[in-house]
Amino acid sequence: MRFDVIVIGAGAAGMLCAAEAGLRGRHVLLVDHAEKIGERIRISGGGRCNFTNRETGPANYLSRNPHFCRSALARFTPADFVARVERHGIAYHERDHGQLFCDDSAQTIIDMLRRDCEAAGVRWAQPCAVEAVRRLDADGDGRFELDTRSGVFRAQSLVVASGGLAVPKLGATPFGYRLAEQFGLPVVPPMPALVPLALPPDALARLKPLSGVSVAAAASAPPDSPVFSENVLLTHRGLSGPAILQVSSYWQLQAAVGQRGGVLVDLLPGVDAAAWLAERQRSRTLLSNALAERLPKRFAQAWCALEGSDRPLDTYPLRSLRALGERLNAWPLMPSGTLGYAKAEVTLGGVDTDALSSKTMEARSVPGLYFVGEVVDVTGWLGGYNFQWAWSSGWVAGQFA
Ligand code: FDA
């Protein structure tokens, strides 16, 4: 069967792209190998889908080319997606840091995208595995030919929206990377990101009393990560919580260039802990009790035990209190790795943006071949940025494919 456009991957980027191309009057086929469409949307945001972030900007993304995402984000903005959500009567609310969530289930976003596709006349092949993709000579008969479990399909344009590698049990595959390589496009090596960090056994043994404790902190991965002021959670395997997930992406990038350092956790953000403890040098309060004024008591006690020091403040020399304060503001932790794709939210790396047009998402060297969403080397922070990239890049390709 012949189509104008075939989109591979009925996730966030693929569905939005298919609906847009269909609206332009293109004859579109959307192919997905999974039993259910939009599975990553369904589980996102704790089931409520953090579908965008009002404060989205290029600085919220990691990519070898940090400017690549600029054009698509400017042409299909968070406000554009919100307008679509409102048109469909989906109730939503804003949480901290500009994050927008559905009031009800994430399924409402999947239903919205499916309705938009149906209204635009998009055809579906699903579940349908793609076995091979060929490029035909430009003979007016369609440039791409796909062998699939449901037969052979041809199209002038092929949009690859097959996502990254996070959560393999939801159908993630390296399909998009392989296809890029088949057509000679470079791929930045993928790595799990927005992922909990593992700690080595000796550190885990020492931190065991803190397992399950969450603190409002600020984490960073020096030298070049931003500081993320959110919760840090200590687990039986290492470090998690939003601040750590954010930092993990930067920590992973540093690893890729052989510059992996540690993670610093500021346990008292906004407080000069050295000065605060020094001011209390005459107090007879135990160190852990003083810290419990600002940290969970269990955490304060376990942290003092880790430091091997929990005496009344007036028994410490001033320089020791200052040193303890400095460690409270910059508690160094050295992860041994990540918990991998099974626990990651996204994939760093992907199809190298140098090979794509930022205006259209089309491969520069393969006319008619487009890559959108997470398969591209553009990775957002935690907080709705990854869906916004999926919508923006999918929309852009939908105008040209
Ligand atoms: P996506 O992964 O959505 O879709 C890819 C599609 O391609 C899938 O339907 C898959 O079945 C299909 N596919 C793969 N290989 C194929 C093949 N060989 N043949 C045919 N089809 C194939 N982001 C955010 O902004 N806010 C949030 O709240 C969350 N929450 C969240 C929670 C969890 C647990 C995870 C794992 C991830 C998030 N994310 C998120 C990230 C977000 O889900 C992700 O960035 C987008 O879904 C990416 O959209 P894509 O359309 O690119 O890929």
Side-chain angles (χ1 to χ4, degrees), residues 9 12-13 32-33 40 44-45 50 162 167 173 175 345 374 384 386-387:
D32 200 298
H33 69 162
R40 238 169 230 85
S44 66
N50 176 194
S162 54
V167 196
T173 69
F175 176 87
E345 285 208 3
E374 201 179 313
N386 284 294
F387 278 135

Side-chain angles (χ1 to χ4, degrees), residues 178-392:
R178 297 291 100 83
L179 195 78
E181 284 163 354
Q182 177 189 332
F183 285 102
L185 309 184
V187 173
V188 177
M191 287 185 288
L194 297 182
V195 61
L197 297 173
L199 288 170
D202 59 325
L204 273 185
R206 286 187 299 115
L207 292 172
K208 205 169 169 202
L210 294 179
S211 175
V213 180
S214 173
V215 279
S220 61
D224 55 4
S225 93
V227 176
F228 292 97
S229 294
E230 291 180 72
N231 275 12
V232 169
L233 172 69
L234 289 119
T235 72
H236 65 291
R237 296 180 69 182
L239 302 169
S240 190
I244 294 297
L245 298 187
Q246 300 278 30
V247 156
S248 72
S249 303
Y250 289 86
W251 191 75
Q252 286 284 75
L253 271 191
Q254 292 164 4
V257 293
Q259 287 177 350
R260 186 175 265 179
V263 167
L264 286 184
V265 177
D266 181 350
L267 294 167
L268 297 176
V271 176
D272 179 343
W276 177 65
L277 286 177
E279 274 166 24
R280 312 193 60 183
Q281 199 206 1
R282 288 168 199 273
S283 161
R284 304 186 76 180
T285 311
L286 272 183
L287 175 64
S288 60
N289 286 343
L291 294 184
E293 291 169 21
R294 294 179 180 266
L295 289 167
K297 191 170 178 71
R298 192 173 140 216
F299 187 94
Q301 288 170 337
W303 191 83
C304 292
L306 268 180
E307 294 295 314
S309 186
D310 192 11
R311 307 195 309 268
L313 294 178
D314 62 359
T315 64
Y316 287 95
L318 194 57
R319 67 170 190 288
S320 305
L321 283 183
R322 286 196 183 283
L324 282 165
E326 279 160 18
R327 281 176 74 75
L328 284 163
N329 281 138
W331 187 35
L333 293 159
M334 181 56 78
S336 52
T338 75
L339 297 198
Y341 286 116
K343 300 287 176 195
E345 285 208 3
V346 290
T347 307
L348 268 178
V351 179
D352 195 328
T353 56
D354 280 354
L356 305 176
S357 154
S358 63
K359 301 256 169 343
T360 63
M361 306 303 294
E362 188 176 21
R364 292 182 192 283
S365 57
V366 189
L369 179 62
Y370 297 76
F371 289 86
V372 295
E374 201 179 313
V375 71
V376 178
D377 174 32
V378 173
T379 307
W381 290 3
L382 190 74
Y385 302 101
N386 284 294
F387 278 135
Q388 187 56 46
W389 170 246
W391 316 133
S392 296

Side-chain angles (χ1 to χ4, degrees), residues 100-173:
L100 301 187
F101 286 78
C102 298
D103 285 357
D104 301 317
S105 150
Q107 185 65 39
T108 55
I109 298 288
I110 302 173
D111 294 343
M112 172 187 90
L113 293 166
R114 187 188 263 282
R115 277 201 299 276
D116 279 353
C117 284
E118 278 162 8
V122 172
R123 302 272 302 273
W124 298 80
Q126 184 255 338
C128 171
V130 179
E131 284 155 353
V133 177
R134 285 178 295 279
R135 185 150 191 257
L136 306 173
D137 290 329
D139 55 7
D141 204 18
R143 292 186 192 136
F144 296 93
E145 187 171 74
L146 275 64
D147 293 340
T148 76
R149 294 266 168 83
S150 311
V152 176
F153 300 118
R154 282 185 176 186
Q156 290 171 339
S157 297
L158 179 63
V159 181
V160 182
S162 54
L165 297 174
V167 196
K169 68 175 187 209
L170 290 182
T173 69

